[in-house]
Amino acid sequence: MSTTTVEAAAVPLADVLPPVVRRGRVRTFLRRHPTAALGGVLVALMILIAIFAPWLGTVNPIAIDPIHRLADPSGLHWFGTDMLGRDVYSRTIYGARISLLVGFSVAICASAAGTVIGVASGFSRLLDAVLMRIMDGLMSIPPILLAIALMALTQASVKNVIFAISVSEFPRISRLVRGIVLSLREQPFVEAAIASGTRMPRIVWRHILPNTMAALLVQATFTCASAMIVEAILSFIGAGTPPIVPSWGNIMAEGRALWEIKPYIVFFPAVFLSVTVLAVNLLGDGLRDALDPRLAKRL
Amino acid sequence: MLAYTARRILATIPVMLTVAFVVFGLLYLAPGDPAAVIAGDQATPAQIAAIRASLGLDKSFLVRFGTWLWQIAHGDLGKSIFTGLPVTTMISQRLEPTLSLMVMSTLIAVVVAIPLGVVAASKQGSWIDRGVMAIAVFGFSTPVFVVGYLLAWVFALKLGWLPVQGFHSLRDGFVPFLRTLILPSVALGLIYIALIARITRATMLEVLGQDYVRTARAKGVGQRSILFVHALKNAAVPITTVVGSGIALLIGGAVVTESVFAIPGLGRLTTDAILQRDYPVIQGVVLLFSFTYVVVNLIVDLLYTLFDPRIRY
């Protein structure tokens, strides 16, 4: 009896954890999920663009050149220039940095906060009652609206944007983690660990957390995509990153007044934003199919 | 049914209280002293203190929260710092465009998305199915203002079929009202279409594998009847759930759509209030939207029993 429980403890862990990277498996995964592979390639490309922005034929994205303002796209200014003569190509390329930074940071912060809250309410009935009521309340405020309201309280900065979007995203993650923790607690291997006198922190660290990783990773990917959209929306309506920062939302906000005659100012950052979000979503779909077959079946 | 309804309504009270607490906390934390703003630049500290006392700002957090709740219960959301008008008046002036936009988007989304999802599920793996799924993925990934600009550029600027921007009240006649509403509603509805089509397809696939569908086929029920009568009815619960929770997307999207199409609705009111840091207005709009969201989802919960009489909590 005791040996089977020990085995039961080992088997699901290996099953649920992200697959060990072996060449054959990766190749199989890519063949089965070509769209996920495409998403991964595009995300990697965007990361490279963000890192190597200064060497991609860009000029200073905030340098003003009023004489050449509102120039149409040409060999000199690939995406044209905006109202202040700033190079839209450079601003768009540098914008990738902001979008990815916000997307990844929110995914990490919201996942971390959501995991802490989710694990806490999964293990303590008292905390569960209190925390989940608060989460219900937070989830009843539409995320974009909550982020807007939080941004209205603080100064416009990239850090505050990350904070505001994280706050509006983490309740959903805490719900997800709580659900997984509640079902894991009933599993024989957790009961066995408790019965054999393992302390709570160790149970959480060794048995609970690793088994939430797959679902969490999938959710974090979608959170990243949604955070990039919310950041663009916040900046677009003037409640996001400060205007000096070349984020895609800001570029579009500045191009808004002129979009009927100079649509390219809005068009280029819009395409970059959509492609990046699409790529992250495709990657998320692929990860979900690969890591969380139960979820994949449902959607 | 009555007990269930009563229980569900009671269950929304703690949620609404939490929402109110969060929203009140926002105003409480807001930088700046409303008393100093009202008193003006020439006021002495004593005058500011007097105004603060008259507004009740010198009381403790909980007393102020209680007073504020009492005011809300009486339909008083305070006055705008900027215009001095009651927030309820400002909201009611802006209600029509936003309400029209959201109702129209929901209608378009439901009417387009459910048939798309049903057809995709009934022809799983075909090009129609792939097409619908592609639309769903793109709908999720394209921000609402990008769709908005694209639609406006094609159908208003290039083809000239519809007005680029603006809003006509229903009082100006139905045709102008509809013409200004079509593009923003479609732009706002796309993500909603993606969401509903996806869940419809997934649920229908599940339902179509059930025994009673096979029985219906065996007794010679036509394909259309199987899809729309037997299967869709049993897939209704998850679909209505998503329609309800998707309202959150719609509310967030409305703020942006109204900016793109220059519609003078609640979204624009929010945007303007943020730029002016008009906290009572921000508070009022957030509260109203959250309240709407909770009520819509309450209605959805109550609808469950209508679609599926087995559900009794």
Side-chain angles (χ1 to χ4, degrees):
Chain A
M1 179 65 199
S2 66
T3 47
T4 52
T5 339
V6 172
E7 273 171 23
V11 173
L13 273 181
D15 270 359
V16 180
L17 279 173
V20 181
V21 181
R22 272 188 231 132
R23 204 162 281 212
R25 279 210 197 170
V26 171
R27 207 173 290 156
T28 318
F29 174 78
L30 294 182
R31 204 174 41 235
R32 279 196 198 147
H33 305 280
T35 51
L38 178 70
V41 168
L42 284 174
V43 170
L45 191 70
M46 275 299 162
I47 295 174
L48 289 178
I49 286 178
I51 293 173
F52 295 106
W55 296 280
L56 292 172
T58 54
V59 295
N60 183 355
I62 54 174
I64 294 170
D65 182 11
I67 298 169
H68 297 110
R69 61 197 284 266
L70 296 176
D72 282 331
S74 65
L76 189 61
H77 298 287
W78 293 350
F79 294 178
T81 61
D82 67 4
M83 230 179 331
L84 299 170
R86 292 172 298 193
D87 183 46
V88 176
Y89 169 71
S90 306
R91 293 176 68 71
T92 307
I93 294 296
Y94 275 93
R97 291 184 164 189
I98 307 299
S99 206
L100 292 176
L101 177 70
V102 171
F104 290 142
S105 307
V106 169
I108 292 168
C109 295
S111 303
T115 306
V116 171
I117 303 276
V119 169
S121 38
F123 272 99
S124 153
R125 281 185 174 232
L126 182 72
L127 280 177
D128 188 39
V130 177
L131 288 174
M132 282 305 126
R133 287 298 80 69
I134 300 176
M135 296 302 121
D136 282 347
L138 283 176
M139 279 195 284
S140 304
I141 306 175
I144 292 177
L145 225 51
L146 183 57
I148 287 175
L150 285 171
M151 283 310 293
L153 288 181
T154 52
Q155 297 292 314
S157 76
V158 176
K159 211 168 67 190
N160 287 338
V161 169
I162 293 171
F163 173 77
I165 305 176
S166 299
V167 170
S168 58
E169 295 281 354
F170 89 93
R172 261 153 273 268
I173 297 184
S174 76
R175 272 268 177 215
L176 173 81
V177 173
R178 172 183 173 270
I180 300 172
V181 170
L182 284 180
S183 69
L184 281 176
R185 277 185 56 181
E186 307 295 319
Q187 296 292 315
F189 67 91
V190 175
E191 281 176 0
I194 296 173
S196 58
T198 317
R199 286 173 187 278
M200 242 349 149
R202 193 176 160 79
I203 291 181
V204 170
W205 187 250
R206 288 296 300 273
H207 299 291
I208 303 290
L209 283 183
N211 283 303
T212 60
M213 278 305 144
L216 201 60
L217 186 66
V218 172
Q219 189 60 39
T221 317
F222 293 128
T223 304
C224 174
S226 139
M228 291 195 291
I229 291 188
V230 176
E231 184 275 322
I233 287 176
L234 288 177
S235 300
F236 181 75
I237 63 174
T241 50
I244 184 92
V245 176
S247 78
W248 291 333
N250 276 342
I251 306 171
M252 283 186 265
E254 287 148 13
R256 187 167 68 183
L258 292 165
W259 81 273
E260 287 178 36
I261 46 169
K262 300 282 177 189
Y264 61 86
I265 304 178
V266 172
F267 176 76
F268 288 112
V271 168
F272 269 72
L273 175 64
S274 307
V275 168
T276 312
V277 174
L278 179 68
V280 176
N281 274 334
L282 288 178
L283 191 64
D285 281 344
L287 282 176
R288 187 185 54 205
D289 292 350
L291 299 179
D292 201 346
R294 195 169 40 90
L295 246 178
K297 229 183 108 190
R298 276 186 56 213
L299 267 178
Chain B
M1 179 68 202
L2 208 66
Y4 171 68
T5 310
R7 220 168 24 233
R8 283 296 304 133
I9 291 174
L10 284 178
T12 58
I13 292 176
V15 174
M16 278 317 295
L17 274 178
T18 324
V19 173
F21 187 79
V22 171
V23 174
F24 179 76
L26 285 177
L27 189 78
Y28 188 81
L29 292 172
D33 183 353
V37 174
I38 294 166
D41 296 334
Q42 307 290 321
T44 62
Q47 283 172 320
I48 294 176
I51 291 173
R52 189 174 292 138
S54 76
L55 291 172
L57 294 177
D58 52 348
K59 304 269 185 358
S60 72
F61 177 82
L62 280 178
V63 172
R64 284 176 60 188
F65 181 54
T67 322
W68 183 73
L69 275 184
W70 186 251
Q71 285 174 344
I72 292 179
H74 290 79
D76 178 8
L77 287 171
K79 285 198 174 100
S80 156
I81 297 176
F82 207 71
T83 62
L85 289 170
V87 173
T88 41
T89 313
M90 292 177 76
I91 286 178
S92 60
Q93 284 169 352
R94 306 291 195 102
L95 204 57
E96 193 202 339
T98 306
L99 205 62
S100 324
L101 180 63
M102 291 183 56
V103 169
M104 189 76 165
S105 294
T106 313
L107 275 180
I108 292 177
V110 169
V111 168
V112 172
I114 291 181
L116 275 185
V118 170
V119 172
S122 74
K123 297 192 189 317
Q124 193 189 0
S126 70
W127 64 268
I128 298 179
D129 185 25
R130 280 160 204 270
V132 170
M133 289 310 281
I135 292 174
V137 175
F138 276 101
F140 265 124
S141 307
T142 324
V144 58
F145 48 105
V146 175
V147 185
Y149 277 126
L150 201 65
L151 289 175
W153 192 73
V154 174
F155 292 101
L157 277 184
K158 291 291 146 187
L159 296 172
W161 290 354
L162 293 160
V164 182
Q165 287 181 326
F167 175 77
H168 280 288
S169 166
L170 197 52
R171 270 165 304 204
D172 301 345
F174 187 67
V175 175
F177 169 76
L178 201 63
R179 278 172 56 87
T180 48
L181 212 53
I182 287 177
L183 288 181
S185 304
V186 173
L188 180 57
L190 185 65
I191 187 166
Y192 213 25
I193 291 176
L195 195 70
I196 299 173
R198 210 167 156 156
I199 196 82
T200 305
R201 175 183 175 274
T203 326
M204 285 295 286
L205 281 179
E206 211 165 281
V207 171
L208 286 174
Q210 300 284 325
D211 286 346
Y212 55 79
V213 171
R214 198 176 41 193
T215 308
R217 282 227 166 85
K219 71 174 186 185
V221 177
Q223 172 77 354
R224 188 174 302 174
S225 177
I226 284 179
L227 286 180
F228 287 94
V229 180
H230 292 78
L232 190 59
K233 202 177 169 201
N234 283 290
V237 168
I239 296 173
T240 28
T241 308
V242 165
V243 172
S245 60
I247 294 280
L249 288 175
L250 219 53
I251 291 170
V255 176
V256 190
T257 313
E258 289 178 12
S259 278
V260 171
F261 289 97
I263 298 170
L266 286 175
R268 280 290 294 282
L269 184 67
T270 319
T271 319
D272 295 344
I274 293 161
L275 297 178
Q276 296 162 349
R277 311 261 146 166
D278 198 340
Y279 296 107
V281 176
I282 300 175
Q283 207 178 29
V285 178
V286 174
L287 208 60
L288 175 74
F289 275 138
S290 309
F291 183 70
T292 314
Y293 182 52
V294 172
V295 169
V296 166
N297 282 291
L298 172 70
I299 296 172
V300 165
D301 265 13
L302 296 178
L303 281 179
Y304 286 169
T305 51
L306 220 73
F307 292 126
D308 192 344
R310 286 168 303 183
I311 294 178
R312 284 282 185 276
Y313 292 104

